[in-house]
Amino acid sequence: YHFTLDKTNNLNLNFSTTNGHAALGLFSDSNNNFKLDLPSLGLDTVFSDPGRPASLTRTLGAGNYYIMIIHII
């Protein structure tokens, strides 16, 4: 998922899984080419266990960002 912020803003994400584990990664498009250039160091990563929600809260500056969710069996 891609999103753009035109000014500093707060990001609050909550997610959970019903089966399996999941990881949510937040990445910055540091060169503003509208691509997730890998390998890229993520800004933050959170993990969710089955039935247990996880959340990510962070203040982000203006720019382009990506959120990646990976389902881990």
Side-chain angles (χ1 to χ4, degrees):
Y1 179 78
H2 169 262
F3 64 98
T4 300
L5 298 176
D6 58 358
K7 62 182 180 179
T8 299
N9 213 325
N10 293 321
L11 174 71
N12 297 300
L13 294 173
N14 298 296
F15 76 105
S16 63
T17 63
T18 55
N19 58 358
H21 304 275
L24 181 146
L26 173 65
F27 299 87
S28 173
D29 181 6
S30 58
N31 61 4
N32 291 315
N33 66 352
F34 295 97
K35 295 180 182 177
L36 181 56
D37 299 312
L38 295 175
S40 173
L41 296 176
L43 298 175
D44 212 340
T45 304
V46 293
F47 298 92
S48 174
D49 293 324
R52 301 189 72 194
S55 63
L56 185 148
T57 302
R58 190 175 177 115
T59 301
L60 300 172
N64 296 299
Y65 297 92
Y66 292 90
I67 296 169
M68 183 183 311
I69 299 175
I70 301 169
H71 184 241
I72 305 166
I73 299 174

